[in-house]
């Protein structure tokens, strides 16, 4: 089995690798600390599974997954995140992810997720299945303004709501300050919110932060 792990934290990559090798001692595992490296390695091997962190430097994990689906649509991608499933799982699955697990639950769920994906099925926990049901119900109730945001806009919205400065967000996402300011304006307009304080209140009410 050939597995590519993308995460910007060495300790996380090492931990995931140890978990996998304990169950699959003969597995061939490569690592990537950033999106650009992951995409380069994508072209060098025929991978059985790609495990990709949502929060990668530069391009987000969701953007990386979109590129993977364009360049190698048959390779299943398991999304990994420090964020609870309700924040990103539905977005990841809509883009074609074969599963979503949190870093907190990786020690318990990673091998089961790999086995499920190897069997050609998506790894969807009961919690995520319930969220999918709720998502369909929300289509008929226009009460979730943040779901109108693109994946990048959602990332920026979350960071603004957490109180991060525009310059810090720009640095984290490898974008210009003007670009982040444009995103902020677009986000406030789409969500019909007037300022950062109200955005933070909304994010707290919805459990986004």
């Amino acid at each position: 089995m050939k597995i590519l792990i993308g995460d910007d934290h060495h300790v996380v990559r090492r931990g995931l690798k140890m978990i996998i090798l304990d169950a699959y001692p003969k597995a061939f595992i490569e690592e990537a600390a950033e999106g650009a490296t992951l995409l380069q390695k994508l072209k060098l091997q025929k991978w059985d599974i790609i495990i990709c962190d949502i929060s990668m430097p530069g391009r987000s994990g969701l953007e990386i997954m979109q590129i993977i689906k364009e360049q190698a649509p048959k390779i299943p991608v398991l999304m990994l995140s420090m964020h609870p499933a309700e924040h990103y799982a539905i977005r990841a699955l809509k883009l074609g992810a074969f599963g979503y697990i949190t870093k907190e639950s990786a020690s318990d769920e990673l091998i089961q997720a790999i086995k499920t994906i190897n069997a050609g099925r998506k790894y969807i926990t009961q919690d995520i299945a319930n969220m999918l049901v709720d998502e369909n119900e929300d289509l008929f109730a226009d009460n979730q303004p943040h779901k109108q945001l693109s994946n990048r806009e959602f990332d920026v919205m979350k960071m603004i709501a957490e109180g991060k400065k525009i310059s810090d967000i720009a640095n984290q996402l490898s974008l210009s300050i003007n670009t982040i300011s444009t995103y902020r304006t677009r986000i406030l307009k789409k969500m019909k919110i007037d300022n950062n304080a109200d955005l933070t209140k909304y994010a707290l009410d919805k459990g986004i932060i």
Side-chain angles (χ1 to χ4, degrees):
M1 190 187 326
K2 295 180 180 179
I3 299 176
L4 177 58
I5 299 174
D7 193 288
D8 58 328
H9 294 97
H10 172 71
V11 173
V12 173
R13 296 196 308 273
R14 183 178 179 184
L16 295 175
K17 189 172 182 178
M18 290 175 64
I19 292 171
I20 295 169
L21 289 175
D22 187 53
Y24 300 98
K26 295 182 179 180
F28 173 79
I29 302 173
E30 283 277 326
E31 303 174 27
E34 57 185 15
T37 304
L38 187 148
L39 293 174
Q40 287 174 355
K41 293 192 174 187
L42 172 67
K43 302 174 182 178
L44 301 178
Q45 294 281 348
K46 184 178 180 181
W47 303 101
D48 294 301
I49 296 177
I50 294 176
I51 301 172
C52 183
D53 183 20
I54 286 280
S55 303
M56 296 279 279
R59 293 182 184 272
S60 71
L62 295 179
E63 289 178 307
I64 292 167
M65 195 180 75
Q66 285 181 298
I67 296 172
I68 293 172
K69 287 302 172 184
E70 292 170 2
Q71 297 183 359
K74 293 184 179 180
I75 299 178
V77 180
L78 174 63
M79 299 306 295
L80 179 73
S81 177
M82 62 179 289
H83 305 292
E86 59 265 25
H87 293 172
Y88 283 102
I90 302 302
R91 291 176 179 270
L93 291 170
K94 281 184 174 181
L95 287 175
F98 263 65
Y100 181 102
I101 61 174
T102 64
K103 293 182 180 180
E104 184 179 7
S105 66
S107 59
D108 298 321
E109 295 187 56
L110 180 59
I111 298 305
Q112 184 57 49
I114 290 174
K115 288 179 179 179
T116 301
I117 292 170
N118 270 340
R121 304 191 307 272
K122 292 196 174 185
Y123 181 73
I124 298 177
T125 63
Q126 186 58 54
D127 287 344
I128 293 177
N130 291 338
M131 280 186 271
L132 286 168
V133 172
D134 293 340
E135 176 78 6
N136 288 332
E137 291 177 353
D138 287 339
L139 291 176
F140 302 98
D142 189 18
N143 60 354
Q144 301 287 324
H146 67 277
K147 292 184 178 179
Q148 301 175 36
L149 303 178
S150 68
N151 293 321
R152 177 61 91 188
E153 288 169 349
F154 183 80
D155 286 337
V156 173
M157 181 275 289
K158 185 174 180 296
M159 286 187 273
I160 291 173
E162 289 171 343
K164 292 183 179 179
K165 297 178 181 178
I166 295 295
S167 57
D168 292 335
I169 298 172
N171 183 58
Q172 184 173 335
L173 298 180
S174 300
L175 297 172
S176 70
I177 291 176
N178 287 340
T179 298
I180 299 301
S181 296
T182 299
Y183 273 125
R184 177 186 176 275
T185 300
R186 193 184 306 162
I187 289 163
L188 294 179
K189 183 176 180 180
K190 280 188 176 183
M191 297 181 66
K192 298 180 180 178
I193 289 177
D194 295 327
N195 52 55
N196 290 5
D198 288 343
L199 189 64
T200 297
K201 183 178 183 302
Y202 175 92
L204 286 168
D205 290 342
K206 296 295 183 182
I208 295 171
I209 60 172

